[in-house]
Amino acid sequence: MTTLRELGELGLLERLLPHLSAAGGDVLIAAGEDDTAAWRERDGSVTVATCDSFIEGVHFDLDWMPPDVAGWRACALSLADLAAKAAQPAYGLVALAAPASTEASVVEGVYAGLAACAREYGLRLLGGDTTATPGPLAISVFALGRATWEPLPRFAVEPGWTLGLTGPLGGEALALAERRPTRPRPRFGELAPGCVCGDVSDGLLRELVKFRTVAGVGARIESARVPVARGASLEQALTGGEEVELLCAWPGGPRPLTVIGAFTDDGRILVDGEEREGGYEHFG
Amino acid sequence: MTTLRELGELGLLERLLPHLSAAGGDVLIAAGEDDTAAWRERDGSVTVATCDSFIEGVHFDLDWMPPDVAGWRACALSLADLAAKAAQPAYGLVALAAPASTEASVVEGVYAGLAACAREYGLRLLGGDTTATPGPLAISVFALGRATWEPLPRFAVEPGWTLGLTGPLGGEALALAERRPTRPRPRFGELAPGCVCGDVSDGLLRELVKFRTVAGVGARIESARVPVARGASLEQALTGGEEVELLCAWPGGPRPLTVIGAFTDDGRILVDGEEREGGYEHFG
């Protein structure tokens, strides 16, 4: 008998993949290849879909975070997956589970925050589901976007591709340590065709492990080139998650991104030449 | 201070609606108008979207229900929302939250059940999200379908419209009472243009209340005409939820459905002339 804690998120994903649909035909990106799915519509356009869950006590703490900030964050961190695929937000649904004893004003606050973020980025929230739970408050955001160019999944990267970031990391880890509510702003409009990108939702090093898992690549990065948010430590920048900044890879040539290293063919994750792993393990 | 229990699901929905997008333009059905959302694509076709959450201890009990049955049910009861809009299942995402101590085989079982149901009805599960939770296991299914004709929201109904069912009710309430696992089969292909339908997810009487809330109509039904599943009681048929059978309304004329009554203009829910309410209150 193996528990999820023993298996880890990536181990679990490996066991679940046989049950999910693969890419092919109109499906461009399917399960396990990325944090998003993508398919071609009949008119030739490409739709990108993502869902993310945010759970009180795991992803946010209403003891110090106002409900509308929790709502904003749930929306923004979901939209970051669309931003990573250069997809313009279109339609969204929200599934909310809350204990019956929850103050209605808390749930209203969460929706006000969700709605403020959705409006800001053009996502129309068209409904969803509310249900009672004996567990903590949970927000699941489903979002669809229209890709402005054909998105590539993580497994498309190759050894030698350059690695870059859209902005500084570690700010969210610092804010969490200081119990300081923040409203992250997803990075739309920063990418160009041919980039393979993902948001740094589980920490920079963890994102590199995900690339290794699906594409077999290693990576070497230079810590001195990693942009660090003001006040944050290098360690927070390397391992802190819940970031809307995007980690991108491309086959070479200049891009308006901060270059931090490159993918390699040896399967190791190297920081300044030393092997490292880290980042957020969901079932740890 | 008001809790969700005091407010109830429909009261909560009323407070959340101002934060959500309304219908108009390409959006045909939006928040609060139905259990689904629908919009027109650029090629003129209509997409229907739904999401539903299923929580251990609320919607299923793994003490007696095999995990694959829980997974099937989560998928089937979500697809029933697409069936109610005559939408052919297309793409799906699943957000799963589970305690780190969960046996991996339980989660695998849930996905095997989800996948079996998805395959059966042509829904391609393209991924989603897994996360740890300190609460119970929770499955949120997000499904998109392609409508075969333009779907109508609940508020389109009018007094005088006929009310009918696609099949017998109460079987799920009976099975729950007997702790007997069932794999409900959503009712695709039973509807015709002009019908306004919804699955009986929270009980027949509760579904009538939902119509009243958005369309201002009352309803009268004759209990002798309500088809009751073998072994179930009339009360189970009137108030039992988690049914994939569809409650439909149309302006008159013959349909291949079992007629049980009609909408009225007085706002009351009448069974054999007696005022009644009931069904499942999520935050009760």
Side-chain angles (χ1 to χ4, degrees), chain B residues 206-248:
Chain B
R206 184 78 181 173
E207 299 305 319
L208 294 172
V209 172
K210 293 183 195 171
F211 274 102
R212 178 174 65 190
T213 303
V214 297
V217 292
R220 56 173 170 70
I221 62 173
E222 292 168 57
S223 65
R225 304 179 77 172
V226 175
V228 179
R230 183 193 302 263
S233 66
L234 174 65
E235 190 61 23
Q236 285 172 324
L238 292 176
T239 61
E242 307 247 307
E243 296 278 359
V244 291
E245 299 298 342
L246 306 175
L247 171 66
C248 299

mmCIF file of all heavy atoms in Angstrom, chain B residues 206-248:
data_model
loop_
_atom_site.group_PDB
_atom_site.id
_atom_site.type_symbol
_atom_site.label_atom_id
_atom_site.label_comp_id
_atom_site.label_asym_id
_atom_site.label_seq_id
_atom_site.Cartn_x
_atom_site.Cartn_y
_atom_site.Cartn_z
ATOM 1 N N ARG B 206 -37.084 20.361 -5.451
ATOM 2 C CA ARG B 206 -36.045 21.397 -5.392
ATOM 3 C C ARG B 206 -35.799 21.996 -6.787
ATOM 4 O O ARG B 206 -35.561 23.190 -6.923
ATOM 5 C CB ARG B 206 -34.762 20.770 -4.853
ATOM 6 C CG ARG B 206 -33.627 21.734 -4.654
ATOM 7 C CD ARG B 206 -33.818 22.520 -3.389
ATOM 8 N NE ARG B 206 -32.747 23.477 -3.203
ATOM 9 C CZ ARG B 206 -32.741 24.379 -2.244
ATOM 10 N NH1 ARG B 206 -33.741 24.461 -1.392
ATOM 11 N NH2 ARG B 206 -31.743 25.205 -2.130
ATOM 12 N N GLU B 207 -35.841 21.154 -7.803
ATOM 13 C CA GLU B 207 -35.635 21.659 -9.172
ATOM 14 C C GLU B 207 -36.758 22.629 -9.540
ATOM 15 O O GLU B 207 -36.531 23.633 -10.226
ATOM 16 C CB GLU B 207 -35.559 20.507 -10.174
ATOM 17 C CG GLU B 207 -34.413 19.522 -9.954
ATOM 18 C CD GLU B 207 -33.034 20.183 -9.914
ATOM 19 O OE1 GLU B 207 -32.794 21.089 -10.728
ATOM 20 O OE2 GLU B 207 -32.211 19.803 -9.059
ATOM 21 N N LEU B 208 -37.986 22.347 -9.067
ATOM 22 C CA LEU B 208 -39.106 23.261 -9.339
ATOM 23 C C LEU B 208 -38.893 24.603 -8.636
ATOM 24 O O LEU B 208 -39.206 25.658 -9.188
ATOM 25 C CB LEU B 208 -40.424 22.607 -8.904
ATOM 26 C CG LEU B 208 -40.819 21.358 -9.719
ATOM 27 C CD1 LEU B 208 -42.032 20.679 -9.098
ATOM 28 C CD2 LEU B 208 -41.082 21.717 -11.186
ATOM 29 N N VAL B 209 -38.334 24.548 -7.415
ATOM 30 C CA VAL B 209 -38.019 25.788 -6.688
ATOM 31 C C VAL B 209 -36.996 26.622 -7.480
ATOM 32 O O VAL B 209 -37.098 27.849 -7.563
ATOM 33 C CB VAL B 209 -37.496 25.485 -5.265
ATOM 34 C CG1 VAL B 209 -36.985 26.748 -4.592
ATOM 35 C CG2 VAL B 209 -38.594 24.833 -4.424
ATOM 36 N N LYS B 210 -36.014 25.939 -8.079
ATOM 37 C CA LYS B 210 -34.999 26.668 -8.861
ATOM 38 C C LYS B 210 -35.653 27.382 -10.049
ATOM 39 O O LYS B 210 -35.295 28.514 -10.373
ATOM 40 C CB LYS B 210 -33.904 25.714 -9.352
ATOM 41 C CG LYS B 210 -33.035 25.128 -8.239
ATOM 42 C CD LYS B 210 -31.934 24.257 -8.851
ATOM 43 C CE LYS B 210 -31.276 23.365 -7.806
ATOM 44 N NZ LYS B 210 -30.362 22.373 -8.435
ATOM 45 N N PHE B 211 -36.601 26.700 -10.719
ATOM 46 C CA PHE B 211 -37.320 27.351 -11.816
ATOM 47 C C PHE B 211 -38.073 28.580 -11.290
ATOM 48 O O PHE B 211 -38.070 29.638 -11.905
ATOM 49 C CB PHE B 211 -38.302 26.385 -12.485
ATOM 50 C CG PHE B 211 -37.692 25.530 -13.569
ATOM 51 C CD1 PHE B 211 -37.359 24.207 -13.338
ATOM 52 C CD2 PHE B 211 -37.462 26.058 -14.833
ATOM 53 C CE1 PHE B 211 -36.804 23.422 -14.336
ATOM 54 C CE2 PHE B 211 -36.912 25.275 -15.845
ATOM 55 C CZ PHE B 211 -36.576 23.950 -15.591
ATOM 56 N N ARG B 212 -38.718 28.415 -10.128
ATOM 57 C CA ARG B 212 -39.462 29.539 -9.560
ATOM 58 C C ARG B 212 -38.536 30.718 -9.278
ATOM 59 O O ARG B 212 -38.874 31.876 -9.552
ATOM 60 C CB ARG B 212 -40.155 29.111 -8.260
ATOM 61 C CG ARG B 212 -40.911 30.266 -7.615
ATOM 62 C CD ARG B 212 -41.707 29.821 -6.415
ATOM 63 N NE ARG B 212 -40.838 29.345 -5.351
ATOM 64 C CZ ARG B 212 -41.267 28.722 -4.263
ATOM 65 N NH1 ARG B 212 -42.550 28.473 -4.106
ATOM 66 N NH2 ARG B 212 -40.428 28.337 -3.331
ATOM 67 N N THR B 213 -37.347 30.414 -8.733
ATOM 68 C CA THR B 213 -36.418 31.475 -8.354
ATOM 69 C C THR B 213 -36.022 32.334 -9.559
ATOM 70 O O THR B 213 -35.973 33.557 -9.458
ATOM 71 C CB THR B 213 -35.148 30.853 -7.719
ATOM 72 O OG1 THR B 213 -35.553 30.065 -6.611
ATOM 73 C CG2 THR B 213 -34.183 31.937 -7.267
ATOM 74 N N VAL B 214 -35.763 31.696 -10.690
ATOM 75 C CA VAL B 214 -35.278 32.480 -11.833
ATOM 76 C C VAL B 214 -36.393 32.906 -12.791
ATOM 77 O O VAL B 214 -36.253 33.922 -13.480
ATOM 78 C CB VAL B 214 -34.180 31.750 -12.641
ATOM 79 C CG1 VAL B 214 -32.950 31.522 -11.779
ATOM 80 C CG2 VAL B 214 -34.679 30.438 -13.229
ATOM 81 N N ALA B 215 -37.506 32.147 -12.836
ATOM 82 C CA ALA B 215 -38.541 32.454 -13.835
ATOM 83 C C ALA B 215 -39.840 32.951 -13.202
ATOM 84 O O ALA B 215 -40.753 33.373 -13.911
ATOM 85 C CB ALA B 215 -38.821 31.213 -14.694
ATOM 86 N N GLY B 216 -39.930 32.900 -11.859
ATOM 87 C CA GLY B 216 -41.123 33.401 -11.182
ATOM 88 C C GLY B 216 -42.347 32.514 -11.314
ATOM 89 O O GLY B 216 -43.435 32.891 -10.879
ATOM 90 N N VAL B 217 -42.169 31.341 -11.898
ATOM 91 C CA VAL B 217 -43.325 30.465 -12.104
ATOM 92 C C VAL B 217 -43.614 29.612 -10.872
ATOM 93 O O VAL B 217 -42.731 29.364 -10.055
ATOM 94 C CB VAL B 217 -43.099 29.508 -13.296
ATOM 95 C CG1 VAL B 217 -43.062 30.269 -14.604
ATOM 96 C CG2 VAL B 217 -41.814 28.701 -13.097
ATOM 97 N N GLY B 218 -44.845 29.174 -10.729
ATOM 98 C CA GLY B 218 -45.179 28.096 -9.822
ATOM 99 C C GLY B 218 -45.287 26.809 -10.623
ATOM 100 O O GLY B 218 -45.063 26.803 -11.837
ATOM 101 N N ALA B 219 -45.657 25.724 -9.935
ATOM 102 C CA ALA B 219 -45.820 24.451 -10.639
ATOM 103 C C ALA B 219 -46.854 23.616 -9.922
ATOM 104 O O ALA B 219 -46.984 23.688 -8.703
ATOM 105 C CB ALA B 219 -44.493 23.697 -10.692
ATOM 106 N N ARG B 220 -47.628 22.852 -10.704
ATOM 107 C CA ARG B 220 -48.497 21.845 -10.077
ATOM 108 C C ARG B 220 -48.160 20.513 -10.724
ATOM 109 O O ARG B 220 -48.061 20.410 -11.958
ATOM 110 C CB ARG B 220 -49.979 22.193 -10.257
ATOM 111 C CG ARG B 220 -50.416 22.388 -11.669
ATOM 112 C CD ARG B 220 -51.927 22.573 -11.811
ATOM 113 N NE ARG B 220 -52.223 22.986 -13.182
ATOM 114 C CZ ARG B 220 -52.107 22.198 -14.254
ATOM 115 N NH1 ARG B 220 -51.758 20.934 -14.112
ATOM 116 N NH2 ARG B 220 -52.352 22.664 -15.476
ATOM 117 N N ILE B 221 -47.958 19.514 -9.889
ATOM 118 C CA ILE B 221 -47.718 18.181 -10.437
ATOM 119 C C ILE B 221 -48.673 17.192 -9.769
ATOM 120 O O ILE B 221 -49.157 17.429 -8.667
ATOM 121 C CB ILE B 221 -46.251 17.718 -10.275
ATOM 122 C CG1 ILE B 221 -45.836 17.624 -8.805
ATOM 123 C CG2 ILE B 221 -45.296 18.648 -11.012
ATOM 124 C CD1 ILE B 221 -44.455 17.018 -8.628
ATOM 125 N N GLU B 222 -48.950 16.113 -10.503
ATOM 126 C CA GLU B 222 -49.819 15.053 -9.978
ATOM 127 C C GLU B 222 -48.932 13.874 -9.600
ATOM 128 O O GLU B 222 -48.255 13.314 -10.462
ATOM 129 C CB GLU B 222 -50.823 14.625 -11.050
ATOM 130 C CG GLU B 222 -51.847 15.694 -11.376
ATOM 131 C CD GLU B 222 -52.627 15.327 -12.636
ATOM 132 O OE1 GLU B 222 -53.229 14.227 -12.648
ATOM 133 O OE2 GLU B 222 -52.615 16.127 -13.589
ATOM 134 N N SER B 223 -48.974 13.509 -8.333
ATOM 135 C CA SER B 223 -48.047 12.473 -7.857
ATOM 136 C C SER B 223 -48.271 11.152 -8.589
ATOM 137 O O SER B 223 -47.317 10.406 -8.820
ATOM 138 C CB SER B 223 -48.171 12.293 -6.350
ATOM 139 O OG SER B 223 -49.454 11.787 -6.029
ATOM 140 N N ALA B 224 -49.521 10.872 -8.974
ATOM 141 C CA ALA B 224 -49.807 9.590 -9.637
ATOM 142 C C ALA B 224 -49.120 9.502 -11.000
ATOM 143 O O ALA B 224 -48.933 8.405 -11.536
ATOM 144 C CB ALA B 224 -51.318 9.415 -9.805
ATOM 145 N N ARG B 225 -48.744 10.660 -11.570
ATOM 146 C CA ARG B 225 -48.095 10.646 -12.890
ATOM 147 C C ARG B 225 -46.573 10.623 -12.785
ATOM 148 O O ARG B 225 -45.893 10.452 -13.806
ATOM 149 C CB ARG B 225 -48.557 11.857 -13.701
ATOM 150 C CG ARG B 225 -50.081 11.902 -13.836
ATOM 151 C CD ARG B 225 -50.553 13.106 -14.615
ATOM 152 N NE ARG B 225 -50.366 12.936 -16.051
ATOM 153 C CZ ARG B 225 -50.843 13.782 -16.972
ATOM 154 N NH1 ARG B 225 -51.535 14.851 -16.590
ATOM 155 N NH2 ARG B 225 -50.644 13.567 -18.245
ATOM 156 N N VAL B 226 -46.034 10.844 -11.574
ATOM 157 C CA VAL B 226 -44.569 10.842 -11.413
ATOM 158 C C VAL B 226 -44.062 9.405 -11.465
ATOM 159 O O VAL B 226 -44.458 8.578 -10.637
ATOM 160 C CB VAL B 226 -44.154 11.489 -10.071
ATOM 161 C CG1 VAL B 226 -42.649 11.361 -9.852
ATOM 162 C CG2 VAL B 226 -44.578 12.957 -10.040
ATOM 163 N N PRO B 227 -43.212 9.077 -12.438
ATOM 164 C CA PRO B 227 -42.692 7.706 -12.500
ATOM 165 C C PRO B 227 -41.726 7.449 -11.338
ATOM 166 O O PRO B 227 -40.826 8.243 -11.080
ATOM 167 C CB PRO B 227 -41.963 7.656 -13.847
ATOM 168 C CG PRO B 227 -41.692 9.077 -14.215
ATOM 169 C CD PRO B 227 -42.697 9.933 -13.518
ATOM 170 N N VAL B 228 -41.971 6.359 -10.614
ATOM 171 C CA VAL B 228 -41.185 6.014 -9.425
ATOM 172 C C VAL B 228 -40.338 4.779 -9.729
ATOM 173 O O VAL B 228 -40.853 3.788 -10.260
ATOM 174 C CB VAL B 228 -42.123 5.743 -8.225
ATOM 175 C CG1 VAL B 228 -41.307 5.363 -6.980
ATOM 176 C CG2 VAL B 228 -42.996 6.970 -7.939
ATOM 177 N N ALA B 229 -39.045 4.862 -9.418
ATOM 178 C CA ALA B 229 -38.148 3.726 -9.661
ATOM 179 C C ALA B 229 -38.597 2.522 -8.840
ATOM 180 O O ALA B 229 -39.137 2.673 -7.740
ATOM 181 C CB ALA B 229 -36.714 4.107 -9.307
ATOM 182 N N ARG B 230 -38.345 1.325 -9.360
ATOM 183 C CA ARG B 230 -38.756 0.087 -8.693
ATOM 184 C C ARG B 230 -38.207 0.038 -7.260
ATOM 185 O O ARG B 230 -37.009 0.198 -7.042
ATOM 186 C CB ARG B 230 -38.220 -1.109 -9.487
ATOM 187 C CG ARG B 230 -38.643 -2.470 -8.935
ATOM 188 C CD ARG B 230 -37.812 -3.578 -9.573
ATOM 189 N NE ARG B 230 -37.950 -3.562 -11.030
ATOM 190 C CZ ARG B 230 -38.793 -4.346 -11.713
ATOM 191 N NH1 ARG B 230 -39.566 -5.191 -11.064
ATOM 192 N NH2 ARG B 230 -38.842 -4.283 -13.027
ATOM 193 N N GLY B 231 -39.087 -0.152 -6.311
ATOM 194 C CA GLY B 231 -38.685 -0.292 -4.909
ATOM 195 C C GLY B 231 -38.616 1.015 -4.149
ATOM 196 O O GLY B 231 -38.547 1.030 -2.927
ATOM 197 N N ALA B 232 -38.611 2.150 -4.896
ATOM 198 C CA ALA B 232 -38.506 3.451 -4.227
ATOM 199 C C ALA B 232 -39.889 3.930 -3.802
ATOM 200 O O ALA B 232 -40.911 3.485 -4.325
ATOM 201 C CB ALA B 232 -37.864 4.468 -5.172
ATOM 202 N N SER B 233 -39.907 4.859 -2.837
ATOM 203 C CA SER B 233 -41.177 5.442 -2.399
ATOM 204 C C SER B 233 -41.468 6.701 -3.204
ATOM 205 O O SER B 233 -40.566 7.280 -3.819
ATOM 206 C CB SER B 233 -41.097 5.792 -0.911
ATOM 207 O OG SER B 233 -40.148 6.834 -0.731
ATOM 208 N N LEU B 234 -42.734 7.137 -3.169
ATOM 209 C CA LEU B 234 -43.082 8.392 -3.842
ATOM 210 C C LEU B 234 -42.261 9.545 -3.250
ATOM 211 O O LEU B 234 -41.774 10.417 -3.983
ATOM 212 C CB LEU B 234 -44.577 8.677 -3.685
ATOM 213 C CG LEU B 234 -45.026 10.031 -4.225
ATOM 214 C CD1 LEU B 234 -44.836 10.104 -5.741
ATOM 215 C CD2 LEU B 234 -46.485 10.316 -3.856
ATOM 216 N N GLU B 235 -42.075 9.536 -1.929
ATOM 217 C CA GLU B 235 -41.317 10.600 -1.288
ATOM 218 C C GLU B 235 -39.875 10.629 -1.811
ATOM 219 O O GLU B 235 -39.311 11.705 -2.060
ATOM 220 C CB GLU B 235 -41.338 10.401 0.238
ATOM 221 C CG GLU B 235 -40.797 11.571 1.049
ATOM 222 C CD GLU B 235 -41.582 12.861 0.852
ATOM 223 O OE1 GLU B 235 -42.769 12.802 0.451
ATOM 224 O OE2 GLU B 235 -40.992 13.940 1.075
ATOM 225 N N GLN B 236 -39.286 9.450 -1.990
ATOM 226 C CA GLN B 236 -37.935 9.401 -2.567
ATOM 227 C C GLN B 236 -37.932 9.962 -3.985
ATOM 228 O O GLN B 236 -36.998 10.635 -4.399
ATOM 229 C CB GLN B 236 -37.404 7.958 -2.548
ATOM 230 C CG GLN B 236 -36.963 7.504 -1.138
ATOM 231 C CD GLN B 236 -36.610 6.028 -1.066
ATOM 232 O OE1 GLN B 236 -37.253 5.192 -1.734
ATOM 233 N NE2 GLN B 236 -35.618 5.689 -0.263
ATOM 234 N N ALA B 237 -38.990 9.684 -4.743
ATOM 235 C CA ALA B 237 -39.083 10.185 -6.122
ATOM 236 C C ALA B 237 -39.257 11.707 -6.141
ATOM 237 O O ALA B 237 -38.789 12.386 -7.051
ATOM 238 C CB ALA B 237 -40.222 9.502 -6.863
ATOM 239 N N LEU B 238 -39.945 12.247 -5.130
ATOM 240 C CA LEU B 238 -40.207 13.697 -5.113
ATOM 241 C C LEU B 238 -39.019 14.493 -4.590
ATOM 242 O O LEU B 238 -38.820 15.643 -4.990
ATOM 243 C CB LEU B 238 -41.439 13.993 -4.239
ATOM 244 C CG LEU B 238 -42.795 13.509 -4.763
ATOM 245 C CD1 LEU B 238 -43.880 13.791 -3.726
ATOM 246 C CD2 LEU B 238 -43.142 14.190 -6.090
ATOM 247 N N THR B 239 -38.244 13.903 -3.683
ATOM 248 C CA THR B 239 -37.210 14.697 -3.010
ATOM 249 C C THR B 239 -35.792 14.168 -3.179
ATOM 250 O O THR B 239 -34.841 14.860 -2.843
ATOM 251 C CB THR B 239 -37.496 14.778 -1.487
ATOM 252 O OG1 THR B 239 -37.470 13.458 -0.947
ATOM 253 C CG2 THR B 239 -38.856 15.411 -1.219
ATOM 254 N N GLY B 240 -35.634 12.940 -3.703
ATOM 255 C CA GLY B 240 -34.293 12.370 -3.826
ATOM 256 C C GLY B 240 -33.493 13.038 -4.940
ATOM 257 O O GLY B 240 -34.018 13.275 -6.025
ATOM 258 N N GLY B 241 -32.228 13.313 -4.681
ATOM 259 C CA GLY B 241 -31.372 13.960 -5.684
ATOM 260 C C GLY B 241 -30.397 12.992 -6.316
ATOM 261 O O GLY B 241 -30.603 11.781 -6.279
ATOM 262 N N GLU B 242 -29.334 13.546 -6.915
ATOM 263 C CA GLU B 242 -28.287 12.764 -7.577
ATOM 264 C C GLU B 242 -28.844 11.911 -8.701
ATOM 265 O O GLU B 242 -28.323 10.836 -8.991
ATOM 266 C CB GLU B 242 -27.557 11.885 -6.562
ATOM 267 C CG GLU B 242 -27.029 12.657 -5.375
ATOM 268 C CD GLU B 242 -25.520 12.695 -5.317
ATOM 269 O OE1 GLU B 242 -24.902 11.643 -5.374
ATOM 270 O OE2 GLU B 242 -24.964 13.812 -5.244
ATOM 271 N N GLU B 243 -29.919 12.374 -9.332
ATOM 272 C CA GLU B 243 -30.532 11.650 -10.440
ATOM 273 C C GLU B 243 -30.000 12.218 -11.761
ATOM 274 O O GLU B 243 -29.812 13.423 -11.889
ATOM 275 C CB GLU B 243 -32.059 11.837 -10.415
ATOM 276 C CG GLU B 243 -32.745 11.246 -9.195
ATOM 277 C CD GLU B 243 -33.001 9.740 -9.338
ATOM 278 O OE1 GLU B 243 -32.667 9.174 -10.390
ATOM 279 O OE2 GLU B 243 -33.528 9.149 -8.384
ATOM 280 N N VAL B 244 -29.787 11.353 -12.730
ATOM 281 C CA VAL B 244 -29.412 11.833 -14.068
ATOM 282 C C VAL B 244 -30.645 12.056 -14.944
ATOM 283 O O VAL B 244 -30.528 12.608 -16.037
ATOM 284 C CB VAL B 244 -28.458 10.856 -14.790
ATOM 285 C CG1 VAL B 244 -27.097 10.843 -14.117
ATOM 286 C CG2 VAL B 244 -29.057 9.462 -14.840
ATOM 287 N N GLU B 245 -31.826 11.614 -14.469
ATOM 288 C CA GLU B 245 -33.041 11.871 -15.249
ATOM 289 C C GLU B 245 -33.238 13.386 -15.378
ATOM 290 O O GLU B 245 -32.835 14.153 -14.503
ATOM 291 C CB GLU B 245 -34.254 11.241 -14.577
ATOM 292 C CG GLU B 245 -34.184 9.728 -14.429
ATOM 293 C CD GLU B 245 -34.112 8.994 -15.763
ATOM 294 O OE1 GLU B 245 -34.453 9.585 -16.814
ATOM 295 O OE2 GLU B 245 -33.695 7.821 -15.750
ATOM 296 N N LEU B 246 -33.876 13.783 -16.461
ATOM 297 C CA LEU B 246 -34.050 15.209 -16.735
ATOM 298 C C LEU B 246 -35.497 15.629 -16.509
ATOM 299 O O LEU B 246 -36.430 14.931 -16.899
ATOM 300 C CB LEU B 246 -33.650 15.511 -18.181
ATOM 301 C CG LEU B 246 -32.245 15.056 -18.588
ATOM 302 C CD1 LEU B 246 -32.015 15.310 -20.073
ATOM 303 C CD2 LEU B 246 -31.186 15.752 -17.746
ATOM 304 N N LEU B 247 -35.627 16.794 -15.879
ATOM 305 C CA LEU B 247 -36.926 17.454 -15.756
ATOM 306 C C LEU B 247 -37.003 18.474 -16.888
ATOM 307 O O LEU B 247 -36.115 19.331 -17.004
ATOM 308 C CB LEU B 247 -37.027 18.161 -14.403
ATOM 309 C CG LEU B 247 -38.253 19.066 -14.212
ATOM 310 C CD1 LEU B 247 -39.543 18.250 -14.196
ATOM 311 C CD2 LEU B 247 -38.117 19.878 -12.924
ATOM 312 N N CYS B 248 -38.031 18.372 -17.713
ATOM 313 C CA CYS B 248 -38.113 19.228 -18.902
ATOM 314 C C CYS B 248 -39.427 19.998 -18.928
ATOM 315 O O CYS B 248 -40.453 19.533 -18.417
ATOM 316 C CB CYS B 248 -38.030 18.375 -20.168
ATOM 317 S SG CYS B 248 -36.486 17.460 -20.271
#
